[in-house]
Amino acid sequence: MKVLFLENRYKTYFWELVASWLRQDGHEIYWIVQNHAFKPRNEVNCLVIPYPTAQEIEEVKNVEVSHRIVSSNRGLNYFDVKSPGFLHYYYGSIKAYIDEVSPNLVFGECTQFHEMITIDVCKKKGILFLHPSSCRYPRARFSFYQYDTLVPFSGEGAKKPSHEIIEVIDGIISGKIRPDYMFSTNSPSKFALLRDKVRLTIEYYKGERFNTPSPVRKYKLDKFKKKMIQAWELLAKKEVIDKSRFNILFPLQMQPEANIDVWGYPYSNQLEVVKKIVGAMGEGDVLYLKPNPKSKYELEPDLLKMAGLPQVEFLRHKSSTADIMPDIDLVITVTGTMTLECILSKKPVLSFGMSIIDDQLSYQLNTSFRTLEDDISSVRNGERAFANDDHLLLINFLYSTSFDGIIGDGLHNRVYLMNEANIENLKASFRCVIAELQD
């Protein structure tokens, strides 16, 4: 088979590892590289896309690029890139290379713009694109998600005994079992982080200005982030919730992050979502906004202005979800692990974005701006079911569509990634997927 990999900074080291396994099995390996500093070592079949000049960007504006690719772009949203013209340039280069290679399978993520472009090309050409990523629950497992969705491809297919599933459910509800990303990994040394900054800065001045902010812009973003966090904390209240009100919780998600920028589309603008929730609430309802403990660029001045509304309350960054959840009547989220946690604990929850479990429940979780007011009202009035006895089937579905293993990169969690047992699990899972495609 012809297998194509997409460069994604330090994740490229992981892809090189996978590529070495597949090459040993006789498969042809190809690459697309956007950031030249992360070109795979000793790779021959590799498209390193030249950084475009202003004139080259101007010449290819006729290439069609979807709104989803533009709206999820970090350069345009945060890094002060002024025009989406570079997307047209890269789209043409990537499409031409895929036309030339005609891969049977593509591995990548759905975070950076060249990956989103590749996904779009693959969809149109009927080429399978897989994004291996943690499935959050159960722990230490991952799924191969198709294209830019949360629809899993393949899986071990095995089911667990009921007593094991019940232990997992109890652990999730109690907080004893947490997703992989919440566990501390081997943080890079200060030297490694400094080296990373130098490497990215050098590449920025060589021409990579679409996934990388300028040093000045990065400084301003970090300064602005700290200012917004400090302002939020001054506006936030202690975890004291009025039990006599109908209390709604909206957990903010960190941005930029594929979890909300891609899987949450078209509800990625959290300020807009908060405004819609406020507009759909009843007169006596209260909306509690809980910031992500690792807030980044999602906090903005217009969002902080919402604290001036009588029906909106801010919670502190260190506030505990477990402490406040008993007094919350409804959780509204775009995407995220809290959806599953609410389902298992039989807490009413409405979700705007896509979820792996959407089709596994006998009741409806999804909401939209159009139906939100009615959906909130139906929960407030007790007209909507959120609990059933399908939890054993739900967790077994997550097991059967995932594999044992922890996905990592070469900078943040190398120790977990390179564990011998983990490597063997990963080898088996990638080979399982290839074998299924070859059958």
Side-chain angles (χ1 to χ4, degrees), residues 155-302:
E156 291 181 348
K159 293 186 176 181
K160 300 290 182 180
S162 295
H163 70 275
E164 289 188 24
I165 299 296
I166 292 172
E167 287 180 8
V168 170
I169 292 173
D170 290 343
I172 293 173
I173 293 173
S174 66
K176 293 178 180 178
I177 296 178
R178 298 181 296 167
D180 297 335
Y181 67 82
M182 294 184 69
F183 282 79
S184 24
T185 59
N186 56 307
S187 299
S189 66
K190 290 183 179 180
F191 174 76
L193 292 173
L194 177 61
R195 183 178 57 188
D196 175 51
K197 288 181 180 179
V198 171
R199 186 179 191 180
L200 295 176
T201 300
I202 291 173
E203 206 60 32
Y204 172 84
Y205 285 108
K206 286 183 178 180
E208 201 306 278
R209 303 186 176 187
F210 312 109
N211 279 321
T212 307
S214 71
V216 173
R217 180 61 179 167
K218 185 66 168 67
Y219 171 78
K220 289 181 178 179
L221 281 171
D222 288 345
K223 186 176 181 181
F224 179 77
K225 178 183 71 173
K226 291 177 182 177
K227 180 181 177 181
M228 289 296 100
I229 291 175
Q230 290 170 355
W232 182 285
E233 289 299 302
L234 290 174
L235 295 167
K237 68 177 294 180
K238 296 179 180 179
E239 292 74 24
V240 178
I241 296 178
D242 185 352
K243 299 179 182 180
S244 67
R245 310 283 290 275
F246 183 79
N247 297 311
I248 302 172
L249 175 67
F250 181 74
L252 291 162
Q253 295 176 245
M254 184 179 70
Q255 286 183 286
E257 186 75 20
N259 193 38
I260 184 165
D261 292 328
V262 177
W263 294 327
Y265 178 86
Y267 301 99
S268 305
N269 185 326
Q270 296 188 84
L271 172 61
E272 182 184 14
V273 172
V274 170
K275 287 181 177 179
K276 293 293 185 181
I277 294 173
V278 171
M281 288 163 49
E283 187 176 343
D285 301 347
V286 180
L287 174 64
Y288 289 88
L289 298 181
K290 183 184 181 303
N292 188 286
K294 299 179 180 180
S295 287
K296 208 163 185 182
Y297 308 143
E298 70 276 8
L299 300 189
E300 53 179 305
D302 285 343

Side-chain angles (χ1 to χ4, degrees), residues 333-350:
T333 183
V334 179
T335 59
T337 56
M338 191 170 286
T339 303
L340 181 61
E341 293 164 3
C342 288
I343 291 169
L344 296 179
S345 59
K346 300 182 180 180
K347 174 71 66 175
V349 57
L350 296 173

